[in-house]
Amino acid sequence: MKQVVALLLFSISLSLSAQKFEGLALTPPMGWNSWNKFACDVNEAKIREVADAMVSTGMKDAGYEYVVIDDCWHGERDAQGFITANAERFPSGIKALSEYIHAKGLKFGIYSCAGSKTCGGHPGSQGHEFQDALTYASWGVDYLKYDWCYTGKRNAEEAYTTMSQALRAAGRPVVFSLCEWGGNKPWEWAKPVGHLWRTTGDIYNCFDCIKDYGGWKSWGAMQILDQQDGLRKFAGPGHWNDPDMLEVGNGMPVNEERAHFTMWCMLAAPLIAGNDLRSMTIESLGVLSNRQAIAINQDSLGIQCFRYEIKDSVETWLKPLQNGRWALCFLNRSTSPKSISIDWKAFSVKDPLNGLEINTTGQEVWQLLDIWKPTPKKLMNTKKPLVASIPAHDVLCLKVFK
Ligand code: GLA
């Protein structure tokens, strides 16, 4: 009995004191992170150049905001236990870099880990949470990605709550990104703790493959998409499922980039680019900065998409948008083109989560905007059935509205 009461008090105190900064990430965060392209090869010149490119390429205007240094920026802890930056890679210090990024109208993010070490073997934050949060606040950090290596038997909810409280205590509003890979089901407990939580292991730079490293695996875009099943009810403004960062611009053919990006937009996923913004192709930039796709992702309802149908390797996905609008996407997962058709006179679907309904069977004509076609003079509409062919590993994605 005593144990039960103690446990109850413990969980009440945890839930009462777990208070992330509210009012942040009301739409999925957008930005860039160094890991997918550069892994540990980070330094201040590179990060500054990426921030420059975020502005000069128009990515900032498209909505990208956070510039996040992932693992390996660290030096050692000093005699008082405060974390320092690697002085060779970051000779001007992290605060100067953060000021540079802020001066461009962007926000600055950094990476740490709930264990004794980061995944790359640098000092982790375990036992130094409040001290590290103070350091980050003094550096002007706006976003913290917090990993899950070298955590031993640590309880994930406790570990992430401690860092959330530390950030809160330090006083500077920070978007808190939990990178626990989904093993402890953060979607069930992290809403008061952070603003986004990874749902899977790491993404691998392929459309449809699994990379097996022996003890662990990383996942292609389609494998990650499948692992989002059942999670949509946990996402919403300020608390997002994170299917990991984007691989757009890292070498996939443009049709696969388009399909990967479209599905991340449909999932209401954080849009964190992971390519070299300084040298990307015009095609990859076009994918990353497609305004219509981004508007679907950033829709203020914050509802994650659902799969309505699978037919002959084509998946039909729907996402309710504000003002009765919908996004309707067909994803061709096969390696050959597929045709699809929709008889609008017989098309009515209810979102099983909230009862919102798209129903085109009535008299009223709905407009159809193909988000990947340059704005046509005349929009398609629901007067005639939709018949289309979708290339291999590609999407047809429509905004449907009256
Ligand atoms: C883990 C994370 C990655 C990246 C690396 C850094 O694998 O899931 O996203 O942060 O660590 O070491």
Side-chain angles (χ1 to χ4, degrees), residues 32-68:
W32 176 88
N33 171 300
S34 52
W35 185 255
N36 282 358
K37 176 69 187 177
F38 298 117
C40 274
D41 190 11
V42 285
N43 61 59
E44 64 180 38
K46 202 178 258 178
I47 303 292
R48 274 201 305 258
E49 286 167 20
V50 166
D52 293 347
M54 191 180 270
V55 177
S56 65
T57 57
M59 293 271 289
K60 175 175 182 255
D61 289 340
Y64 293 85
E65 187 178 22
Y66 293 95
V67 176
V68 183

Side-chain angles (χ1 to χ4, degrees), residues 150-229:
Y150 298 99
T151 45
K153 291 196 174 2
R154 248 193 130 169
N155 172 286
E157 183 174 358
E158 171 276 318
Y160 282 95
T161 300
T162 302
M163 185 42 106
S164 181
Q165 290 169 339
L167 294 170
R168 190 65 200 227
R172 182 179 173 93
V174 171
V175 170
F176 189 35
S177 156
L178 285 69
C179 180
E180 176 277 346
W181 318 312
N184 293 281
K185 301 193 171 147
W187 44 87
E188 287 180 354
W189 48 262
K191 187 177 167 194
V193 178
H195 304 89
L196 57 153
W197 48 79
R198 281 274 296 278
T199 54
T200 69
D202 288 2
I203 194 166
Y204 189 70
N205 182 23
C206 72
F207 187 71
D208 191 2
C209 78
I210 296 171
K211 174 76 178 169
D212 196 338
Y213 294 94
W216 57 288
K217 293 177 181 157
S218 58
W219 311 95
M222 291 301 99
Q223 283 66 28
I224 290 198
L225 176 64
D226 290 339
Q227 291 174 64
Q228 307 313 304
D229 201 25

